Amino acid sequence: MKLNKPITRNCLLALTLVGLSTSAHSQEMDKMWGESVVKLRAADAKRGQLFDEGNYAMFIHLGLYSHLANKVKGKTYYGIGEWIMEKRMAGIPVDEYKDIAKEFNPTQFDAKAIAQLAKDAGMKYIIITSKHHDGFAMYDSKSNDFNVVKATPYKRDPMKDLAKACKEVGIGFGFYYSHNQDWTFPGGNNGPTVDAKGKPANFEDYFQKKCVPQVKEITSEYGPIEIVWFDTPGDMPTKYAEQLIEIVRKNQPNALVCGRVGGGLGDYQSLGDMEVPSENVEGMWETVDTTNDSWAYAHYDQNWKTPKQILARLIATVARGGTYMLNIGPRGDGSVPAHAAESLRKSGEWIHRYPQVVYATEASPWKHALPWGDVTVKGQKMFLTVSQWPSSGQLFLPGLQTAITSAKLLNGDTSEAITHHVENGWTCFKVPQAGPEKLISVIEVDLAGKPVVDPGFGLDPNTPTELLTEFATVKGATKEPKKWMEKFGEWKHTTQVSDWESGGSASWEVKVLKPGNYQVDLTYAGEPRLVWTVAVEGGEMIQNQQNASHNYQSFPIGWLNFPKAGKYQLKVGCLEGNAKTASLKSISLNLIP
Ligand code: FHN
C-alpha cells in the first residue's frame, strides 16, 4: 500500500495543558504519546480494510494488573490500573510485582464468549494487550519467561484461544504491544537501569533482548493479524520504530501499524485517549475509548457508558471520519464485567438494525455534530441519527444545498416516508412526535447528488445549540486546545479561549430560522467571579456576572433577541475577572417558547 507523506498535525493533539487538575501528571504522561501526524490512505489500498470500513473495534486490557484491580495491601488507588506498579499509583517494587504472577489465574477467560461479544456488539476486530508497560506477556513468549504460561498457575496461552475464536466468529484480531516502556526488564524505558547482576543496561539491551524477539513472536505465531498497536513511544529514536515496522511488514504484510509506534511513522493516527473530536479529521485515524473510566479492570469503577452513550460516541467518531475502538477490562479471573457486556450487546442490537449507518460510511458534510445528533453519508444517501428526538413534530437541518429526492424514517427493516419543505435555507422535515427507537432514531435521506452543505451553525428551534470555541473566530484573545486528567489517566479534551485583552472576542456566524428570545448560557472555568458580555452585531447586547469555577460549568447569562430569520454575528467577551485565565469553552442558545 502506498501512503502519502504524513502531515504534522497540531490542531487536535497540541501539547497544551490546562491547569484544571493533575497537570504535572498530564505533562509527564503526555510526553510518552510522541509526535502526532495525519496519515492519508491511498484510494486503492487493500490493507486495513476492516479498520477503514469496519469503523468499530474492541480493545482489551488484561494483565497482572487486572488481578490487583487497583487495590494493593487493602488500599484502593484511583486511576488507570495498568499503571498500578508505577510510582504515581502504588509504587510496587519490580520483584514484588513479578511475584503477583504466582496468584494470577484467569480461569474464567472465555475466548469464544469474548469474540462472540465483540461480534454481537457490531465490532469488526479485537486488539488485546500482549504486553503492557509492566513487561508481563499475556502470551507464551519463548524469549522471556515473565509471561502467562511460564510465570502463572494458569499455564496456558489465552491469546492462542482468542486468535482462534476471532477467526471462528469471523472478526479480525491484533495485538497491543508496549514497545518503548518496559518497567520490569533492564533497559526498558522507565524500567530498571541495571540487570540482575548489577550491570548497567540501556535501551538497546532491552530492545534487542526483549522487544524485537517478542514482536517477532506476536507477528508470527498467531496467524494473520489486523493491527500491531504500539503505544507510548515517548522520545524513542526513530530507528527503533523503523525496525519494528520492518518486522511487522515482513511477518504480516496485511497488518496496519498504529501511529503510536513513534517517529511520525505507522499507518494511521491514534488520537489522544478518550478523545472524540468535535471537527472532522482528515486521513486515517482512530479514537480509543473505554466502557467505563478505566482501561484495566478497577474494582471501584462502575461508571459505565450506557448503550446510548456508546452509540453516540461511536457515531460521532464515524461522522468525523474515524474509527472507534472501545475497551473492556476483564477481571483478573478473565471474566468480563456484566455491565460492560450488557451495554455492548444493547448498543450492538441497534447496530445490527442499522449497519448501513456505521460501516463503510463517509464523514458528515457539516464537519461537526448537529444539536439533535449527527450525520453519516454513503454516496448520495445521508443518515440523520437523532439522539434528541424533537417533540415539536419537526426536525430542522440547516444549510443543505443538494436537493432531496426522498426521505424516510427507518424502523429496522421497515420505514415510513416523511415530507419536508425548505424555508430560509433550512430543510424542515415533518416527523412524528416520538421517534421509533428508544436509543437513536434514523432518517434516511436520498439526494440528487453527493451532499453539499453550508457547514455553518444554525440555532436549532427545538434543541439547545452549543457553539464550541473550537469553531469561533477569535480576536484579542487566545484559542487553544487543552486536555487534562480527571483521575490519573482519565483524559478530557476541549478547545477554549482565554487570555482576553480589552475588547477581545470569540465570535460565530449563526443562522436563525425562528425569530424570538433565546436563553444564553456560557460554559467556562475561571476565577474570581467573572463578568461576560454577549452581543448580536447590530442588535442586542447582554452582560452579567456569574460565579467563579475551577472546572468547566455552565452558567446562565440572560436572554438575547433575534428579531427575524437570517444570519447574525454573535460575539462573546470577558469584561471583568482574571481575564488571563478566564477560559471559555462554549456558548449555548435555546429558543424560549
Ligand atoms: O499508558 C497507556 C495506558 O495505560 C493505556 O494503555 C492507553 C490506551 O490508549 N495507552 C497509554 C496511554 O496513552
Side-chain angles (χ1 to χ4, degrees), residues 257-317:
V257 172
C258 172
R260 293 195 192 187
V261 68
L265 301 172
D267 295 313
Y268 67 89
Q269 177 67 40
S270 182
L271 301 192
D273 287 352
M274 305 163 181
E275 180 185 13
V276 176
S278 305
E279 190 171 17
N280 287 12
V281 175
E282 242 193 288
M284 264 177 82
W285 59 273
E286 87 189 339
T287 282
V288 284
D289 202 4
T290 185
T291 36
N292 50 1
D293 293 328
S294 316
W295 301 106
Y297 177 71
H299 75 88
Y300 63 83
D301 190 351
Q302 300 300 323
N303 194 23
W304 305 104
K305 291 188 176 60
T306 62
K308 184 165 177 168
Q309 284 170 328
I310 289 177
L311 288 175
R313 288 174 77 81
L314 162 67
I315 294 168
T317 305

Side-chain angles (χ1 to χ4, degrees), residues 11 95 142 163 171 175 177 204 212 242 251 286 323 397 438 469 475 485-486 501 508 529 581:
C11 54
D95 289 342
K142 314 289 181 303
I171 61 172
F175 284 120
Y177 188 87
E204 181 69 19
V212 164
E242 284 166 350
N251 293 345
E286 87 189 339
T323 289
L397 195 56
K438 269 202 207 126
T469 46
K475 286 197 187 123
M485 293 199 257
E486 297 277 320
E501 291 167 14
W508 298 259
R529 291 193 181 100
T581 58

Side-chain angles (χ1 to χ4, degrees), residues 378-391:
K378 199 168 273 180
Q380 296 186 193
K381 265 187 205 309
M382 292 195 306
F383 300 106
L384 316 184
T385 56
V386 188
S387 300
Q388 299 196 56
W389 190 267
S391 56

Side-chain angles (χ1 to χ4, degrees), residues 29 33 59 61 80 82-83 129 132-133 176 181 229 231-232 260 273 288 295 491:
M29 200 184 203
W33 282 358
F59 204 12
H61 278 66
I80 47 176
E82 66 279 11
W83 282 59
T129 45
H132 207 272
H133 310 329
Y176 171 108
Q181 297 198 72
W229 212 92
D231 198 9
T232 63
R260 293 195 192 187
D273 287 352
V288 284
W295 301 106
W491 287 95

Side-chain angles (χ1 to χ4, degrees), residues 128-167:
I128 186 165
T129 45
S130 61
K131 184 202 83 165
H132 207 272
H133 310 329
D134 63 354
F136 177 76
M138 274 302 294
Y139 72 97
D140 186 10
S141 174
K142 314 289 181 303
S143 57
N144 188 279
D145 286 354
F146 187 40
N147 71 62
V148 66
V149 177
K150 306 212 174 63
T152 78
Y154 189 58
K155 291 192 190 319
R156 62 179 285 133
D157 182 344
M159 300 300 116
K160 282 266 183 249
D161 299 334
L162 192 60
K164 186 165 167 262
C166 285
K167 206 169 177 198

